Amino acid sequence: MPQNYDVLILGAGAAGLMCAARAGQRGRNVLVIDHADEPGKKILISGGGRCNFTNIHTAPDRFLSANPHFAKSALSRYTPQDFLELVERHGIAWHEKALGQLFCDGSARQIVDMLLAECAEAGVTVACGESATQVKHREGGFTVTTSQRTVHASSLVIATGGPSIPKLGATGFAYELARQFGLKVVEPRPALVPLTLSGEDALFRELSGVATEVIASCAKASFREAALFTHRGLSGPAILQVSSYWRRGTAIDIDFLPDEGSGWLIERKRQAPRATLRSVLRAAMPDRLADALADRLGLEGPLANVTDTQLRAAEERLAKWEFQPNGSEGFAKAEVTVGGVSTAELSSKTMEAKRVPGLFFIGEAVDVTGWLGGYNFQWAWASGRAAGEVA
Ligand SMILES: Cc1cc2nc3c(=O)[nH]c(=O)nc-3n(C[C@H](O)[C@H](O)[C@H](O)COP(=O)(O)OP(=O)(O)OC[C@H]3O[C@@H](n4cnc5c(N)ncnc54)[C@H](O)[C@@H]3O)c2cc1C
């Protein structure tokens, strides 16, 4: 005999637990199933173990989606302030880091414990180590066969995230299920991921370990943060951010001297004609990077001996240094996935599939991806809450 629940949620991650708590508070009988051995594994490792749980600058333009308007409704109805109130109600100490990022003072486990406490108080059952093997839809609900039982529920919420970091239990289950129901999926790609370099660019790999503040740009998106050279290519927050916009075959641009305006090298020549390009660069960035750039620009000798035209060309190159990544480090290293279940298939108010009443997709499974810095959790909370209000 199948067990009956009002709401079955697949995935006990950020979005699933938030949705479960809300649906339970509304008096719904809720079961959450996760195939991992414990809930919230990504939360536990997030933000270097301190969970960057939201960003106070959350706004729809900090999310990528085929429909940039889709996230507006859910984000406006559950804000960073709402999540912060929950965090404070549970007595969790927090602090703001750069760029509006909020972290726990203690540990990310506090966030998981908080969500589980909310679920327990709302009478939600959370079962781990159990995977769904079959989903059937009939009039009045869904029958889901798991590794341990058969469950019937009038609402089915898919909160199984995206395929980034498979070793944490991440899967493309949400996409398979969407396809089973004839729903479109926007091609998933690794995002917030280091990029790899080859050919001429590969020479920069010798700078492995060097970091500097840059403006990295790709496809009209620009981020001023640190870039890090690695033994495979480029990483650091600025690169992770642009990686979400990067597509194979396109370039990314790096401004190595974001504080210098047009004409700065010519001005430097006037002020210090005996300085060299190398010494000027060394004063502005790590020596190894300055040397690598000076070698490639090839303007040796005192600035007084270099023409203004050459200096202007060097300046332009330093402000728009083009890299042609040959790939990324893939889903194994990607913090999130861009793409996912098409927003065209879902209600932006409730996350319910328009063509399959009672079926919901929330969190990273959906084609909404945030910038680095707490935005992805805010989407998980907001979309989970939106579905939890009605499921
Ligand atoms: C290393 C790392 C650090 C991060 N740091 C941050 C950060 O500090 N701030 C931030 O905003 N974002 C961060 N993120 C991104 C953030 O973790 C995700 O965006 C967020 O967890 C997505 O929530 P979700 O509930 O949709 O999916 P998840 O949290 O991934 O939860 C999905 C759940 O579904 C389960 N599952 C998957 N497939 C199945 C299946 N077939 N059957 C049953 N269960 C299944 C998984 O085990 C998992 O528990 C980080 C990600 C990584 C990888």
Side-chain angles (χ1 to χ4, degrees):
M1 280 290 286
Q3 297 176 3
N4 282 299
Y5 283 88
D6 296 325
V7 184
L8 172 59
I9 299 175
L10 300 182
L17 292 175
M18 176 57 93
C19 179
R22 184 63 197 132
Q25 286 158 6
R26 288 173 41 241
R28 302 282 276 165
N29 188 16
V30 182
L31 172 66
V32 188
I33 283 176
D34 200 297
H35 67 172
D37 54 2
E38 64 175 323
K41 278 191 154 179
K42 274 195 190 165
I43 301 175
L44 291 174
I45 58 154
S46 68
R50 290 223 161 91
C51 187
N52 176 194
F53 54 78
T54 192
N55 193 299
I56 55 170
H57 301 309
T58 296
D61 65 357
R62 277 131 202 255
F63 294 82
L64 292 81
S65 172
N67 176 359
H69 303 293
F70 181 83
K72 284 182 181 170
S73 172
L75 290 173
S76 68
R77 284 177 295 127
Y78 193 79
T79 64
Q81 195 54 40
D82 291 323
F83 192 76
L84 198 52
E85 275 165 27
L86 183 62
V87 165
E88 292 194 328
R89 187 146 41 82
H90 283 257
I92 300 173
W94 57 275
H95 61 279
E96 182 182 341
K97 264 200 181 170
L99 306 172
Q101 304 168 1
L102 304 192
F103 286 78
C104 297
D105 286 357
S107 143
R109 184 162 291 282
Q110 294 174 288
I111 298 293
V112 176
D113 289 347
M114 174 189 83
L115 294 167
L116 291 176
E118 288 283 304
C119 283
E121 200 181 309
V124 171
T125 306
V126 180
C128 286
E130 187 170 344
S131 43
T133 51
Q134 192 183 52
V135 175
K136 283 190 181 156
H137 180 218
R138 284 202 217 102
E139 203 67 12
F142 299 82
T143 303
V144 178
T145 309
T146 78
S147 46
Q148 285 162 36
R149 54 183 144 177
T150 302
V151 181
H152 183 82
S154 50
S155 295
L156 176 64
V157 182
I158 307 303
T160 51
S164 53
I165 322 247
K167 72 169 192 259
L168 291 176
T171 66
F173 178 85
Y175 313 149
E176 288 160 34
L177 200 83
R179 290 189 186 108
Q180 178 188 327
F181 284 93
L183 308 180
K184 282 194 229 78
V185 173
V186 176
E187 187 207 351
R189 288 182 289 122
L192 300 183
V193 64
L195 298 173
T196 55
L197 297 176
S198 67
E200 273 282 289
D201 288 342
L203 294 172
F204 279 95
R205 298 193 311 215
E206 75 204 23
L207 297 177
S208 181
V210 171
T212 189
E213 188 173 328
V214 301
I215 296 175
S217 307
C218 182
K220 290 188 192 155
S222 289
F223 297 89
R224 180 173 179 155
E225 286 186 69
L228 169 73
F229 290 92
T230 71
H231 66 289
R232 295 192 62 190
L234 292 165
S235 188
I239 303 302
L240 298 182
Q241 297 279 32
V242 289
S243 74
S244 302
Y245 294 84
W246 178 77
R247 296 211 172 241
R248 205 169 277 278
T250 63
I252 64 164
D253 294 327
I254 293 195
D255 181 350
F256 281 112
L257 292 158
D259 288 323
E260 302 294 1
S262 166
W264 71 275
L265 255 181
I266 295 167
E267 183 59 31
R268 210 58 57 89
K269 171 168 132 176
R270 283 204 188 99
Q271 289 164 352
R274 298 231 292 269
T276 61
L277 181 60
R278 190 175 299 266
S279 68
V280 168
L281 292 179
R282 275 183 166 223
M285 60 181 72
D287 287 356
R288 282 166 66 202
L289 175 59
D291 288 347
L293 296 177
D295 289 347
R296 281 162 182 77
L297 290 167
L299 301 176
E300 298 298 345
L303 290 179
N305 297 350
V306 184
T307 66
D308 285 1
T309 310
Q310 285 173 311
L311 289 179
R312 209 166 285 120
E315 207 181 275
E316 278 167 19
R317 183 112 193 264
L318 287 164
K320 203 171 182 287
W321 202 285
E322 203 173 273
F323 289 91
Q324 284 278 352
N326 67 339
S328 78
E329 294 195 25
F331 284 118
K333 291 282 166 62
E335 261 190 36
V336 288
T337 308
V338 281
V341 177
S342 170
T343 56
E345 305 283 7
L346 307 176
S347 154
S348 62
K349 285 209 169 58
T350 63
M351 306 294 134
E352 190 172 15
K354 291 174 188 163
R355 291 188 277 156
V356 191
L359 178 64
F360 297 77
F361 290 87
I362 57 176
E364 198 179 320
V366 179
D367 173 31
V368 173
T369 308
W371 286 0
L372 187 74
Y375 297 99
N376 284 295
F377 278 137
Q378 189 57 37
W379 170 247
W381 317 135
S383 60
R385 176 78 178 204
E389 293 284 2
V390 293

